[in-house]
Amino acid sequence: MTETPGPAHSQTLSRGVRTLEILAAAPGPLTIAEVATQLGVHRSIAYRIVRTLEDHSLVVRDSAGRLAPGPGLAVLARGVSRDLQSAALPELTELSQSLAMTAFVVMWDREECVTLAAVEPRHSGATLAQHPGTRHPVGVGAPGIALQSLYTPEQWRIQAPGQVYRPEAAEAARLGYATSHDEVIAGLSSVAAPVRIPGGRPAAVAVVYIRNDQDPGTIGTAVHAAASRIESALA
Amino acid sequence: MTETPGPAHSQTLSRGVRTLEILAAAPGPLTIAEVATQLGVHRSIAYRIVRTLEDHSLVVRDSAGRLAPGPGLAVLARGVSRDLQSAALPELTELSQSLAMTAFVVMWDREECVTLAAVEPRHSGATLAQHPGTRHPVGVGAPGIALQSLYTPEQWRIQAPGQVYRPEAAEAARLGYATSHDEVIAGLSSVAAPVRIPGGRPAAVAVVYIRNDQDPGTIGTAVHAAASRIESALA
């Protein structure tokens, strides 16, 4: 959402990306006029941007001419940590079935964790969805603690300036997994384990569930084992 | 990939999107010089584009400074047919488990079908992956026939200029599902049913499996029923 002017940045390109961000955040399709207002530009400029994005299938129009994110975005997103997605998917499937919980993998994006892929358990009453593209702050919840557990407080300060280092990270480093309760969403618990990525920032594999009597240790062991297998597949 | 010059298009924005397409198609991270070469621009222009895309987390650098698609793309892709994704996911999970096949939903993007979401069955020997973002030509395979089955040949000519209308579409319209064998990938079969989208182009729900003795009629009935439930959820 940052719009940093200056010679090292392109305003036109930034507006185009902002258009995609606006459409992705909207609850439904928007008119050109609504997009222009949110961008803070004249409608003719918004029209030019939208036409260009349409050429690349990143924006589509519905039968009323309103704008929505297009299928080309799914193709671009396929390239995000493709090796990690491929390595994680069978492990997420296995975890979700064996624990009967939604399993997901997050990437670390500066102040946030972004869900890259998720698998829900076999349809059995209430299932928690954790859609790809969901964000939550890195300082909240088990995935963030799991990421921190790979760093000392000093290293974390360099990796994530301004982001609090949580004391639970030391315990997570010892156990190989992190736990959280009532953090991102009240009533929900999460268990996560870090995944080291060759040449890149670490990721985390996690499960989320409605607080229950299951032993966090059993869950943690399973999540940690899945993370280890993903690491081996990436090595 | 089209780069149409003219007043209704923005060259800078188009280059930015091309950069994302180049990185998504690459087998691994690329250097700035490689991106500049593929874009056909001076390195300073490529650098400006990349810096802007980095600001939005659409591009990330690995520890060697090479460029890869960033997590922001997963956030943008979340907005693609969100209602369809939400309605389809439990049905895909159910289909994949009950049939022990990979189930997926495709969007129609001009000459291609794009996989929007996919669920693999419980880990049980060989599983076929069908990653979101995968494309295949609309003229090949069961999903394309399923889309065509909602149109007459005359309507299809208007909806998809230049795309062949397959005679199997009439049979698919009668049955409520389409089948294909050895089309997209040799040795694989697919069964698909169309999903009508209010105000938009239709989608299709499909399963893919290694050719076997299962009765296509049983599979088709299950896929058609899933498509009907997704339609009801969207209505």
Side-chain angles (χ1 to χ4, degrees), chain B residues 56-71:
Chain B
H56 294 268
S57 289
L58 304 188
V59 166
V60 289
R61 292 180 202 238
D62 67 14
S63 55
R66 289 170 309 182
L67 310 166

Side-chain angles (χ1 to χ4, degrees), chain B residues 102-186:
Chain B
T102 297
F104 58 103
V105 60
V106 302
M107 278 186 80
W108 176 19
D109 182 23
R110 292 182 276 201
E111 302 86 23
E112 295 177 313
C113 293
V114 176
T115 300
L116 195 59
V119 178
E120 297 181 36
R122 181 204 290 265
H123 205 51
S124 57
T127 299
L128 298 165
Q130 175 83 14
H131 296 294
T134 305
R135 299 165 171 274
H136 69 264
V138 72
V140 176
I145 303 170
L147 294 175
Q148 293 182 338
S149 74
L150 295 176
Y151 299 94
T152 63
E154 292 68 35
Q155 291 169 331
W156 181 254
R157 201 151 46 224
I158 295 162
Q159 290 291 325
Q163 293 297 311
V164 170
Y165 186 84
R166 295 181 58 172
E168 295 92 331
E171 173 77 353
R174 194 178 64 76
L175 293 172
Y177 62 86
T179 58
S180 68
H181 306 285
D182 300 326
E183 289 197 11
V184 178
I185 299 170

Side-chain angles (χ1 to χ4, degrees), chain A residues 7 9-10 12 14 21 24 26 48 52 55-57 62-63 70 78 80 82 89 94 97 109-110 120 123 132 199, chain B residues 7 9-10 12 14 21 24 26 48 52 55-57 62-63 70 78 82 89 94 97 109-110 120 123 132 199:
Chain A
H9 297 265
S10 160
T12 305
S14 196
E21 290 171 345
R48 195 156 174 259
T52 306
D55 286 344
H56 293 270
S57 290
D62 66 15
S63 55
R78 192 197 167 185
V80 182
R82 191 163 9 184
L89 204 54
E94 185 69 31
Q97 300 304 339
D109 182 21
R110 291 182 276 202
E120 298 180 36
H123 205 52
Chain B
H9 297 265
S10 160
T12 306
S14 196
E21 291 171 345
R48 194 157 175 256
T52 307
D55 287 344
H56 294 268
S57 289
D62 67 14
S63 55
R78 192 196 167 185
R82 190 160 13 184
L89 204 54
E94 184 69 32
Q97 300 305 339
D109 182 23
R110 292 182 276 201
E120 297 181 36
H123 205 51

Side-chain angles (χ1 to χ4, degrees), chain A residues 75-87:
Chain A
V75 177
L76 295 181
R78 192 197 167 185
V80 182
S81 297
R82 191 163 9 184
D83 293 348
L84 174 60
Q85 291 195 52
S86 296

Side-chain angles (χ1 to χ4, degrees), chain A residues 67-163:
Chain A
L67 309 166
L73 288 166
V75 177
L76 295 181
R78 192 197 167 185
V80 182
S81 297
R82 191 163 9 184
D83 293 348
L84 174 60
Q85 291 195 52
S86 296
L89 204 54
E91 296 299 337
L92 296 180
T93 304
E94 185 69 31
L95 268 185
S96 71
Q97 300 304 339
S98 62
L99 297 175
M101 295 172 181
T102 297
F104 58 104
V105 62
V106 303
M107 276 186 82
W108 176 17
D109 182 21
R110 291 182 276 202
E111 302 85 23
E112 297 178 312
C113 294
V114 176
T115 300
L116 194 60
V119 177
E120 298 180 36
R122 181 203 289 266
H123 205 52
S124 58
T127 299
L128 298 166
Q130 174 84 13
H131 295 294
T134 305
R135 298 165 172 274
H136 69 264
V138 72
V140 176
I145 304 169
L147 294 175
Q148 293 182 339
S149 74
L150 296 177
Y151 300 94
T152 65
E154 292 68 35
Q155 291 170 331
W156 181 253
R157 201 152 44 227
I158 294 162
Q159 290 291 324
Q163 294 297 308

